[in-house]
Amino acid sequence: MKVTEHFQNADKTQFTFEILPPLKGENLQVLYEHIDPLMEFKPPFIDVTYHREEYVYKHRDNGLLEKISTRKRPGTVGICAAIQNHYKVDTVPHLICGGFNKEETENALIDLHFLGIHNVLVLRGDCVKTESRFVPEPGGHSYATELLQQVVGMNNGCYLDDEQINTNGTDFCIGVAGYPEKHSDAPNLKADLRWLKKKIEMGADYVVTQMFFDNQKYFDFVRLCRSEGINVPIIPGLKPLTTKSQLTILPGIFHIDIPCDLADAVEACADNKAAAQVGVEWAIQQSKELMEFGVPCLHYYSMGKSGSVRKVAEALF
Ligand SMILES: Cc1cc2nc3c(=O)[nH]c(=O)nc-3n(C[C@H](O)[C@H](O)[C@H](O)COP(=O)(O)OP(=O)(O)OC[C@H]3O[C@@H](n4cnc5c(N)ncnc54)[C@H](O)[C@@H]3O)c2cc1C
Protein backbone atom coordinates (compact mmCIF):
# COMPACT_ATOMS: atom_id res chain seq x y z
CA MET A 1 0.00 0.00 0.00
CA LYS A 2 1.00 3.59 -0.47
CA VAL A 3 2.05 5.75 2.46
CA THR A 4 -0.81 8.17 1.79
CA GLU A 5 -3.31 5.28 1.81
CA HIS A 6 -2.02 4.27 5.23
CA PHE A 7 -2.66 7.82 6.45
CA GLN A 8 -6.18 7.83 4.99
CA ASN A 9 -7.06 4.48 6.59
CA ALA A 10 -5.73 5.32 10.06
CA ASP A 11 -7.98 6.59 12.84
CA LYS A 12 -5.09 7.56 15.11
CA THR A 13 -1.45 8.60 14.95
CA GLN A 14 0.70 5.76 13.65
CA PHE A 15 4.22 4.70 14.57
CA THR A 16 6.82 4.59 11.80
CA PHE A 17 10.57 4.58 11.76
CA GLU A 18 13.63 4.83 9.55
CA ILE A 19 16.51 2.40 9.49
CA LEU A 20 20.00 2.58 8.05
CA PRO A 21 21.24 -0.36 5.99
CA PRO A 22 23.74 -2.25 8.15
CA LEU A 23 27.44 -1.76 7.44
CA LYS A 24 28.76 -3.77 4.52
CA GLY A 25 29.84 -7.24 5.54
CA GLU A 26 26.84 -7.58 7.90
CA ASN A 27 23.88 -9.77 7.05
CA LEU A 28 20.09 -9.71 7.14
CA GLN A 29 20.00 -11.21 10.64
CA VAL A 30 21.63 -8.06 12.03
CA LEU A 31 18.94 -6.00 10.35
CA TYR A 32 16.10 -8.16 11.65
CA GLU A 33 17.50 -7.98 15.20
CA HIS A 34 17.26 -4.21 14.91
CA ILE A 35 13.73 -4.22 13.47
CA ASP A 36 12.17 -7.06 15.53
CA PRO A 37 11.83 -5.05 18.78
CA LEU A 38 9.87 -2.34 16.94
CA MET A 39 7.39 -4.51 15.05
CA GLU A 40 4.91 -4.98 17.92
CA PHE A 41 4.02 -1.27 17.52
CA LYS A 42 2.66 -2.11 14.06
CA PRO A 43 4.42 0.34 11.78
CA PRO A 44 2.48 0.63 8.51
CA PHE A 45 5.76 1.25 6.70
CA ILE A 46 9.50 1.36 7.32
CA ASP A 47 11.88 3.81 5.65
CA VAL A 48 15.32 2.65 4.52
CA THR A 49 17.96 5.32 3.97
CA TYR A 50 20.37 5.41 1.04
CA HIS A 51 24.05 6.10 1.53
CA ARG A 52 26.14 7.19 -1.38
CA GLU A 53 29.76 6.32 -1.88
CA GLU A 54 32.56 8.12 -0.10
CA TYR A 55 36.07 8.81 -1.36
CA VAL A 56 39.30 7.91 0.38
CA TYR A 57 42.72 9.02 -0.78
CA LYS A 58 45.61 6.51 -0.57
CA HIS A 59 49.29 7.41 -0.79
CA ARG A 60 50.91 5.22 -3.43
CA ASP A 61 54.59 4.23 -3.74
CA ASN A 62 55.05 6.58 -6.72
CA GLY A 63 54.18 9.50 -4.44
CA LEU A 64 50.80 10.07 -6.02
CA LEU A 65 47.44 10.01 -4.29
CA GLU A 66 44.91 7.46 -5.52
CA LYS A 67 41.23 8.34 -5.16
CA ILE A 68 39.18 5.28 -4.19
CA SER A 69 35.41 5.17 -4.13
CA THR A 70 33.94 3.11 -1.31
CA ARG A 71 30.41 2.44 -0.05
CA LYS A 72 29.85 1.81 3.63
CA ARG A 73 26.23 0.69 3.54
CA PRO A 74 25.08 -0.98 0.37
CA GLY A 75 21.76 -2.37 -0.64
CA THR A 76 18.70 -0.12 -0.07
CA VAL A 77 16.67 -1.72 -2.88
CA GLY A 78 17.48 -5.27 -1.74
CA ILE A 79 16.94 -4.44 1.92
CA CYS A 80 13.50 -2.97 1.19
CA ALA A 81 12.53 -6.11 -0.70
CA ALA A 82 13.80 -8.32 2.15
CA ILE A 83 11.91 -6.36 4.82
CA GLN A 84 8.71 -6.27 2.77
CA ASN A 85 8.93 -10.02 2.24
CA HIS A 86 9.93 -10.93 5.82
CA TYR A 87 7.53 -8.69 7.78
CA LYS A 88 4.79 -8.15 5.17
CA VAL A 89 5.08 -4.43 5.82
CA ASP A 90 5.47 -1.66 3.26
CA THR A 91 8.87 -0.09 2.79
CA VAL A 92 9.96 3.35 1.67
CA PRO A 93 13.37 3.34 0.03
CA HIS A 94 15.16 6.67 -0.01
CA LEU A 95 16.22 7.60 -3.51
CA ILE A 96 18.91 10.24 -3.91
CA CYS A 97 20.44 12.27 -6.73
CA GLY A 98 24.02 11.91 -5.49
CA GLY A 99 26.01 9.15 -7.14
CA PHE A 100 23.28 8.27 -9.64
CA ASN A 101 22.96 9.19 -13.28
CA LYS A 102 19.51 9.14 -14.84
CA GLU A 103 19.92 5.65 -16.29
CA GLU A 104 20.89 4.22 -12.90
CA THR A 105 17.95 6.01 -11.31
CA GLU A 106 15.58 4.57 -13.90
CA ASN A 107 16.98 1.08 -13.35
CA ALA A 108 16.57 1.37 -9.56
CA LEU A 109 12.96 2.50 -10.01
CA ILE A 110 12.25 -0.35 -12.44
CA ASP A 111 13.61 -2.82 -9.87
CA LEU A 112 11.54 -1.28 -7.06
CA HIS A 113 8.39 -1.38 -9.16
CA PHE A 114 9.05 -4.99 -10.12
CA LEU A 115 9.54 -5.90 -6.45
CA GLY A 116 6.17 -4.43 -5.50
CA ILE A 117 7.61 -1.43 -3.66
CA HIS A 118 5.31 1.49 -4.40
CA ASN A 119 6.77 4.23 -2.21
CA VAL A 120 9.91 6.35 -2.51
CA LEU A 121 11.30 9.26 -0.57
CA VAL A 122 12.90 11.50 -3.19
CA LEU A 123 15.95 13.43 -1.99
CA ARG A 124 18.96 15.28 -3.29
CA GLY A 125 21.22 13.44 -0.87
CA ASP A 126 24.03 14.66 1.28
CA CYS A 127 27.27 15.83 -0.26
CA VAL A 128 30.30 13.56 -0.25
CA LYS A 129 32.10 13.96 3.10
CA THR A 130 35.29 15.26 1.47
CA GLU A 131 33.39 17.92 -0.53
CA SER A 132 31.88 21.09 0.87
CA ARG A 133 29.08 21.36 -1.70
CA PHE A 134 26.81 18.86 -3.40
CA VAL A 135 28.21 17.82 -6.78
CA PRO A 136 25.79 15.99 -9.08
CA GLU A 137 26.83 12.84 -10.90
CA PRO A 138 27.59 13.47 -14.61
CA GLY A 139 24.25 12.86 -16.32
CA GLY A 140 22.49 12.91 -12.95
CA HIS A 141 20.28 15.33 -11.03
CA SER A 142 21.27 18.42 -9.06
CA TYR A 143 18.11 18.83 -6.97
CA ALA A 144 15.29 16.70 -5.62
CA THR A 145 12.96 18.58 -8.02
CA GLU A 146 14.80 17.06 -11.00
CA LEU A 147 14.71 13.56 -9.55
CA LEU A 148 11.05 14.04 -8.74
CA GLN A 149 10.40 14.95 -12.37
CA GLN A 150 11.93 11.65 -13.45
CA VAL A 151 9.85 9.61 -10.96
CA VAL A 152 6.64 11.43 -11.91
CA GLY A 153 7.53 10.90 -15.56
CA MET A 154 7.87 7.17 -15.00
CA ASN A 155 4.54 7.15 -13.17
CA ASN A 156 3.16 8.58 -16.41
CA GLY A 157 4.84 5.89 -18.49
CA CYS A 158 7.77 8.02 -19.73
CA TYR A 159 11.11 6.26 -19.73
CA LEU A 160 14.47 7.68 -20.85
CA ASP A 161 14.17 6.02 -24.23
CA ASP A 162 11.29 8.17 -25.41
CA GLU A 163 10.49 5.90 -28.32
CA GLN A 164 9.65 3.16 -25.90
CA ILE A 165 6.54 4.33 -24.11
CA ASN A 166 5.48 1.93 -21.40
CA THR A 167 1.81 2.75 -21.02
CA ASN A 168 1.59 0.92 -17.70
CA GLY A 169 4.04 3.28 -16.04
CA THR A 170 5.07 2.92 -12.42
CA ASP A 171 2.88 3.93 -9.51
CA PHE A 172 5.08 5.43 -6.83
CA CYS A 173 3.74 7.40 -3.90
CA ILE A 174 6.35 10.11 -3.45
CA GLY A 175 7.58 11.70 -0.24
CA VAL A 176 10.02 14.61 -0.02
CA ALA A 177 12.06 16.24 2.75
CA GLY A 178 11.13 19.44 4.60
CA TYR A 179 13.17 21.46 7.07
CA PRO A 180 11.39 23.27 9.95
CA GLU A 181 14.72 24.93 10.77
CA LYS A 182 15.60 25.54 7.08
CA HIS A 183 17.89 23.55 4.84
CA SER A 184 21.51 24.60 5.35
CA ASP A 185 22.00 25.71 1.71
CA ALA A 186 18.89 27.91 1.61
CA PRO A 187 19.34 31.65 2.15
CA ASN A 188 16.20 31.75 4.33
CA LEU A 189 13.19 29.65 5.27
CA LYS A 190 10.91 31.40 2.79
CA ALA A 191 13.22 30.60 -0.12
CA ASP A 192 13.46 27.00 1.07
CA LEU A 193 9.66 26.79 1.22
CA ARG A 194 9.37 27.98 -2.37
CA TRP A 195 11.28 24.88 -3.43
CA LEU A 196 9.27 22.67 -1.13
CA LYS A 197 6.11 24.05 -2.71
CA LYS A 198 7.57 23.35 -6.13
CA LYS A 199 8.13 19.71 -5.11
CA ILE A 200 4.49 19.39 -4.11
CA GLU A 201 3.24 21.09 -7.29
CA MET A 202 5.37 18.68 -9.31
CA GLY A 203 3.66 15.68 -7.74
CA ALA A 204 5.06 14.86 -4.29
CA ASP A 205 2.39 13.39 -2.02
CA TYR A 206 3.72 14.17 1.45
CA VAL A 207 6.59 15.72 3.38
CA VAL A 208 8.78 14.20 6.11
CA THR A 209 10.64 16.68 8.25
CA GLN A 210 14.20 16.80 9.37
CA MET A 211 14.49 15.95 13.07
CA PHE A 212 13.65 18.76 15.50
CA PHE A 213 13.64 18.93 19.29
CA ASP A 214 11.38 21.94 19.74
CA ASN A 215 7.80 21.28 18.67
CA GLN A 216 7.17 24.98 18.21
CA LYS A 217 9.51 24.88 15.21
CA TYR A 218 7.29 22.19 13.65
CA PHE A 219 4.03 24.00 14.44
CA ASP A 220 5.39 27.24 12.91
CA PHE A 221 6.64 25.32 9.88
CA VAL A 222 3.27 23.67 9.29
CA ARG A 223 1.49 27.02 9.63
CA LEU A 224 3.89 28.63 7.16
CA CYS A 225 3.52 25.72 4.72
CA ARG A 226 -0.27 25.96 4.86
CA SER A 227 -0.15 29.72 4.28
CA GLU A 228 2.04 29.08 1.22
CA GLY A 229 -0.49 26.56 -0.12
CA ILE A 230 1.40 23.39 0.83
CA ASN A 231 -1.49 21.21 1.92
CA VAL A 232 -0.10 17.65 1.90
CA PRO A 233 0.59 15.70 5.14
CA ILE A 234 3.74 16.92 6.92
CA ILE A 235 5.19 14.07 8.95
CA PRO A 236 7.29 15.04 11.96
CA GLY A 237 10.67 13.32 12.20
CA LEU A 238 11.86 12.71 15.77
CA LYS A 239 15.05 11.38 17.21
CA PRO A 240 15.56 10.47 20.86
CA LEU A 241 18.99 11.79 21.92
CA THR A 242 21.10 8.82 22.99
CA THR A 243 24.54 10.18 23.92
CA LYS A 244 25.97 13.33 25.46
CA SER A 245 28.14 13.91 22.39
CA GLN A 246 25.01 14.20 20.19
CA LEU A 247 24.47 17.63 21.75
CA THR A 248 27.16 18.93 19.41
CA ILE A 249 27.16 16.24 16.70
CA LEU A 250 23.50 16.56 15.67
CA PRO A 251 23.50 20.37 15.26
CA GLY A 252 26.73 20.04 13.25
CA ILE A 253 25.35 17.46 10.85
CA PHE A 254 21.69 18.44 10.62
CA HIS A 255 21.81 22.20 11.23
CA ILE A 256 19.23 22.09 14.00
CA ASP A 257 18.97 23.66 17.45
CA ILE A 258 18.81 21.72 20.70
CA PRO A 259 16.59 23.62 23.18
CA CYS A 260 18.33 24.90 26.33
CA ASP A 261 16.22 22.76 28.70
CA LEU A 262 17.16 19.57 26.86
CA ALA A 263 20.82 20.54 26.47
CA ASP A 264 21.08 21.46 30.18
CA ALA A 265 19.45 18.19 31.26
CA VAL A 266 21.77 16.11 29.06
CA GLU A 267 24.86 18.08 30.18
CA ALA A 268 23.97 17.33 33.79
CA CYS A 269 23.91 13.55 33.16
CA ALA A 270 26.72 11.51 34.64
CA ASP A 271 26.92 9.14 31.67
CA ASN A 272 25.35 8.20 28.35
CA LYS A 273 22.88 5.84 30.00
CA ALA A 274 21.40 8.75 31.92
CA ALA A 275 21.56 10.96 28.81
CA ALA A 276 19.63 8.37 26.80
CA GLN A 277 16.94 8.31 29.49
CA VAL A 278 16.60 12.10 29.24
CA GLY A 279 16.43 11.72 25.44
CA VAL A 280 13.62 9.16 25.71
CA GLU A 281 11.59 11.29 28.13
CA TRP A 282 12.00 14.35 25.91
CA ALA A 283 10.92 12.40 22.81
CA ILE A 284 7.87 11.04 24.67
CA GLN A 285 6.77 14.56 25.63
CA GLN A 286 7.34 15.79 22.07
CA SER A 287 5.38 12.84 20.69
CA LYS A 288 2.43 13.35 23.06
CA GLU A 289 2.09 16.99 22.03
CA LEU A 290 2.36 16.13 18.34
CA MET A 291 -0.28 13.42 18.73
CA GLU A 292 -2.61 15.97 20.32
CA PHE A 293 -1.92 18.22 17.34
CA GLY A 294 -3.26 15.36 15.19
CA VAL A 295 -0.26 14.30 13.11
CA PRO A 296 -1.02 11.22 10.96
CA CYS A 297 2.16 9.50 12.05
CA LEU A 298 5.29 10.00 14.09
CA HIS A 299 8.44 9.08 12.26
CA TYR A 300 11.42 8.08 14.40
CA TYR A 301 15.02 8.18 13.28
CA SER A 302 16.51 5.03 14.78
CA MET A 303 19.99 5.62 13.32
CA GLY A 304 20.89 1.97 13.60
CA LYS A 305 19.83 1.55 17.26
CA SER A 306 16.31 0.56 18.25
CA GLY A 307 16.56 0.68 22.08
CA SER A 308 15.49 4.27 22.70
CA VAL A 309 12.87 4.28 19.93
CA ARG A 310 11.35 1.16 21.49
CA LYS A 311 11.15 2.85 24.90
CA VAL A 312 9.37 5.83 23.34
CA ALA A 313 6.98 3.56 21.43
CA GLU A 314 6.22 1.52 24.59
CA ALA A 315 5.01 4.69 26.29
CA LEU A 316 2.78 5.78 23.40
CA PHE A 317 1.62 3.06 21.02
C1 LIG B 1 13.39 12.80 6.06
C2 LIG B 1 14.78 12.88 5.49
C3 LIG B 1 15.40 11.72 5.02
C4 LIG B 1 16.69 11.77 4.47
N1 LIG B 1 17.29 10.63 4.01
C5 LIG B 1 18.50 10.68 3.41
C6 LIG B 1 19.10 9.52 2.83
O1 LIG B 1 18.56 8.42 2.90
N2 LIG B 1 20.30 9.64 2.21
C7 LIG B 1 20.96 10.86 2.13
O2 LIG B 1 22.04 10.92 1.54
N3 LIG B 1 20.41 11.98 2.66
C8 LIG B 1 19.21 11.91 3.30
N4 LIG B 1 18.65 13.05 3.83
C9 LIG B 1 19.42 14.30 3.80
C10 LIG B 1 19.17 15.11 2.51
O3 LIG B 1 19.59 14.38 1.39
C11 LIG B 1 19.95 16.40 2.64
O4 LIG B 1 19.37 17.22 3.61
C12 LIG B 1 20.20 17.16 1.34
O5 LIG B 1 21.19 18.14 1.61
C13 LIG B 1 18.99 17.88 0.78
O6 LIG B 1 18.06 17.01 0.28
P1 LIG B 1 16.63 17.55 -0.28
O7 LIG B 1 15.96 16.43 -0.92
O8 LIG B 1 15.94 18.29 0.79
O9 LIG B 1 17.18 18.57 -1.39
P2 LIG B 1 16.48 19.65 -2.30
O10 LIG B 1 15.02 19.66 -2.18
O11 LIG B 1 17.06 19.49 -3.66
O12 LIG B 1 17.01 21.01 -1.65
C14 LIG B 1 18.41 21.26 -1.49
C15 LIG B 1 18.64 22.76 -1.38
O13 LIG B 1 18.46 23.39 -2.64
C16 LIG B 1 17.34 24.27 -2.64
N5 LIG B 1 16.59 23.88 -3.85
C17 LIG B 1 15.71 22.87 -3.99
N6 LIG B 1 15.35 22.72 -5.28
C18 LIG B 1 16.02 23.66 -5.97
C19 LIG B 1 16.09 24.00 -7.35
N7 LIG B 1 15.38 23.33 -8.26
N8 LIG B 1 16.92 25.01 -7.72
C20 LIG B 1 17.65 25.69 -6.79
N9 LIG B 1 17.62 25.40 -5.46
C21 LIG B 1 16.82 24.40 -5.07
C22 LIG B 1 16.58 24.03 -1.35
O14 LIG B 1 16.02 25.23 -0.84
C23 LIG B 1 17.68 23.50 -0.45
O15 LIG B 1 18.39 24.53 0.16
C24 LIG B 1 17.38 13.02 4.41
C25 LIG B 1 16.75 14.19 4.90
C26 LIG B 1 15.47 14.12 5.44
C27 LIG B 1 14.83 15.38 5.97
Side-chain angles (χ1 to χ4, degrees):
M1 244 161 77
K2 293 179 174 183
V3 163
T4 44
E5 289 170 338
H6 284 296
F7 295 158
Q8 282 151 16
N9 293 345
D11 53 3
K12 58 180 171 54
T13 302
Q14 293 174 301
F15 164 78
T16 67
F17 61 94
E18 170 189 295
I19 60 148
L20 273 65
L23 294 170
K24 72 179 169 200
E26 298 287 7
N27 56 36
L28 269 179
Q29 202 46 43
V30 170
L31 185 71
Y32 294 154
E33 280 164 16
H34 172 57
I35 297 176
D36 281 347
L38 302 176
M39 290 312 288
E40 74 177 80
F41 308 107
K42 304 205 170 6
F45 57 87
I46 298 172
D47 274 54
V48 182
T49 57
Y50 191 93
H51 299 262
R52 66 172 301 172
E53 78 285 5
E54 290 166 16
Y55 297 116
V56 288
Y57 292 87
K58 299 275 178 199
H59 284 281
R60 292 302 175 210
D61 292 344
N62 59 8
L64 296 177
L65 280 177
E66 187 186 357
K67 184 179 178 186
I68 298 173
S69 166
T70 168
R71 281 180 63 203
K72 235 177 161 174
R73 300 174 187 274
T76 299
V77 172
I79 287 173
C80 284
I83 294 174
Q84 199 149 303
N85 189 40
H86 185 75
Y87 294 105
K88 311 293 177 230
V89 67
D90 285 308
T91 49
V92 184
H94 292 190
L95 196 67
I96 63 173
C97 305
F100 280 82
N101 63 31
K102 290 180 193 131
E103 288 78 12
E104 289 160 340
T105 297
E106 182 170 289
N107 291 339
L109 288 163
I110 289 170
D111 285 351
L112 290 170
H113 177 71
F114 177 77
L115 291 163
I117 295 164
H118 299 302
N119 297 289
V120 282
L121 191 72
V122 164
L123 301 148
R124 186 191 72 180
D126 290 322
C127 51
V128 175
K129 286 209 174 79
T130 44
E131 290 169 350
S132 58
R133 294 199 61 76
F134 178 82
V135 180
E137 192 70 5
H141 299 300
S142 300
Y143 294 103
T145 42
E146 296 172 9
L147 177 54
L148 187 67
Q149 190 175 26
Q150 185 172 7
V151 182
V152 171
M154 283 180 68
N155 276 353
N156 291 321
C158 297
Y159 289 73
L160 290 173
D161 175 1
D162 57 10
E163 285 179 18
Q164 178 205 323
I165 302 293
N166 179 336
T167 47
N168 290 328
T170 52
D171 189 21
F172 290 106
C173 171
I174 306 169
V176 289
Y179 301 83
E181 296 176 66
K182 181 184 94 58
H183 183 264
S184 55
D185 292 357
N188 53 59
L189 188 55
K190 202 146 174 75
D192 204 18
L193 277 187
R194 271 206 301 278
W195 291 115
L196 181 59
K197 187 171 183 197
K198 179 87 182 153
K199 293 194 269 193
I200 306 307
E201 286 169 349
M202 289 176 69
D205 298 293
Y206 68 101
V207 176
V208 187
T209 75
Q210 182 57 276
M211 67 178 75
F212 56 89
F213 292 91
D214 175 358
N215 282 352
Q216 197 54 48
K217 300 256 168 74
Y218 171 81
F219 298 139
D220 292 346
F221 180 68
V222 172
R223 206 186 51 243
L224 215 64
C225 284
R226 301 306 181 222
S227 72
E228 295 289 328
I230 299 170
N231 291 315
V232 297
I234 300 175
I235 306 309
L238 297 179
K239 155 141 184 64
L241 266 176
T242 50
T243 62
K244 294 184 81 168
S245 59
Q246 285 177 351
L247 278 186
T248 49
I249 292 173
L250 297 180
I253 298 177
F254 300 108
H255 308 277
I256 48 157
D257 271 0
I258 311 258
C260 295
D261 288 354
L262 175 58
D264 290 349
V266 171
E267 294 272 19
C269 290
D271 54 24
N272 279 337
K273 194 167 169 232
Q277 190 50 35
V278 169
V280 165
E281 281 159 21
W282 188 274
I284 291 172
Q285 288 315 317
Q286 270 195 286
S287 304
K288 281 186 177 160
E289 201 182 13
L290 289 162
M291 282 168 136
E292 278 165 24
F293 186 70
V295 296
C297 87
L298 287 163
H299 191 65
Y300 295 95
Y301 296 110
S302 73
M303 290 176 118
K305 294 205 171 70
S306 48
S308 286
V309 174
R310 184 180 157 86
K311 284 186 187 159
V312 174
E314 273 172 345
L316 297 163
F317 295 95

